Amino acid sequence: MSTSEELYDRARALMPGGVNSPVRAFGSVGGIPRFLVDAHGARVTDADGKTYVDLVGSWGPALLGHSHPAVIEAVHRAVDHGLTFGASTPAEADLAELVKERVPAVELLRMVSTGTEATMTAVRLARGFTGRSLIVKFAGCYHGHVDSLLAAAGSGVATLALPGSAGVTEATTAETLVLPYNDTAAVEEAFREQGDRIAAVITEAAPANMGVVTPGEGFNAFLSRITTEHGALFIVDEVMTGFRTHPGGYWKLTGGAPDAAEPWTPDLLTFGKVIGGGIPAAALGGRADVMNHLAPIGPVYQAGTLSGNPLAMAAGVATLTAATDEVYRHVDARSLELSTALSEELNRAGVDHSIQRAGNLFSVAFGTSERGVSSYADAQAQEAFRYGPFFHSMLDSGVYLPPSVFEAWFLSAAHDDAAMEEIFAALPAAAKAAAAAQPA
């Protein structure tokens, strides 16, 4: 047995499924999950000593690459002063200032510990601010494992082919209206019928948890407009895209861009991943009048013992400080190079597919060249059976991909020419494996 196999056997005796987050279990691709013990730059190393070029990046936070010296140094300095205080620290305001500089739509910010906590709080805040109960979400958009938002969710729910989650009551889901993504007519009908009950519409800025799906032209602007017209709030989830697709996230890349064809601005935004630089941290922010409804000055309660943890704040400040325009240009260029090379190899092997993009995030969807993917139904209808063989071929060649076709691929500033050449060299065999794949 390999060391990873031994570790997996041990883990399964101690933890449900042997993992602490479902997609890590390789459930949709099969095989033994790798147990990682080291990560530096663009590479990770497993317990058996095998090193891989990494295209997961801890699911997004490693924008600069793993173990970036400036981030490690900042965390070491913070550790010397203590791990947690349960009190306010100067670094919280330092990180909040960096976020506000990058995302002008954020007038006030509240730090929390996870993306799930950020979206949960945003939804509660929207209900408290508007006095309404109904939340509109879109099928395939994943906003963490909040009970009311797990209906028709992406990410691990899509990977495991689950309709939602056991333990979520009918009373909870009755307050969530799930609509098809990119469907303006469905949104208009919802507001015609129940506009006075809708507290908020929540969407990923660009969905990246059913694979990447590009918002239709004007879709986010439409959501901003219709929520304003009906007195509801527009919540944009940038846990995945925030500070990764652009210094100011997908909103600043699109609706908040100076040359935006149709400008739009959310009322609330949620952040995670990059904002903590690899240590658990997240945040929600937005309009001051809405944010001021949070305790201690408002009636909407939210608290967290580790919110604003000094180590996470140090990592976040160091990450955003080091994430210069040059970093984003590099990641954008590498993303385009890789997605183009991937498409070329799949075409050469005769594999029908489309590449789905949102800034420098992308994913591949098999069997979708004619229609692409614009909704959860499109994502679910793809030839997902081709991904497992493709994934394992890449893994055998030393490239670590997301272990699910319903996830985005992540490049970093550390993906240099040598790392890219290793990925390119692995693509032909993987494309052939995808071509030879058969449905179960």
Side-chain angles (χ1 to χ4, degrees), residues 25 31 41-42 57 79 95 110 113 118 141 177 183 191 197 277 308 318-319 341 352 426 437:
V79 165
L95 184 53
R110 170 63 60 90
S113 296
C141 285
L177 182 60
D183 191 334
F191 273 97
R197 293 186 56 225
T319 296
D352 185 278

Side-chain angles (χ1 to χ4, degrees), residues 324-345:
T324 62
D325 289 344
E326 176 57 32
V327 164
Y328 289 99
R329 284 193 293 269
H330 179 90
V331 175
D332 289 350
R334 290 308 196 198
S335 173
L336 183 59
E337 288 174 23
L338 178 51
S339 58
T340 300
L342 168 61
S343 187
E344 288 174 351
E345 289 299 338

Side-chain angles (χ1 to χ4, degrees), residues 162-176:
L162 300 175
S165 175
V168 177
T169 66
E170 290 183 6
T172 299
T173 57
E175 294 184 334
T176 304

Side-chain angles (χ1 to χ4, degrees), residues 83-92 304-310 313:
L83 301 181
T84 180
F85 308 129
S88 297
T89 70
E92 294 171 85
T305 299
L306 295 178
S307 295
N309 174 269
M313 298 299 97

Side-chain angles (χ1 to χ4, degrees), residues 36-46 51-52 54 57-58 62 65-68 72:
L36 303 183
V37 298
D38 187 78
H40 281 82
R43 291 173 171 80
V44 294
T45 302
D46 69 16
T51 297
Y52 307 84
D54 183 29
S58 191
H66 294 289
S67 303
H68 188 277
I72 296 298

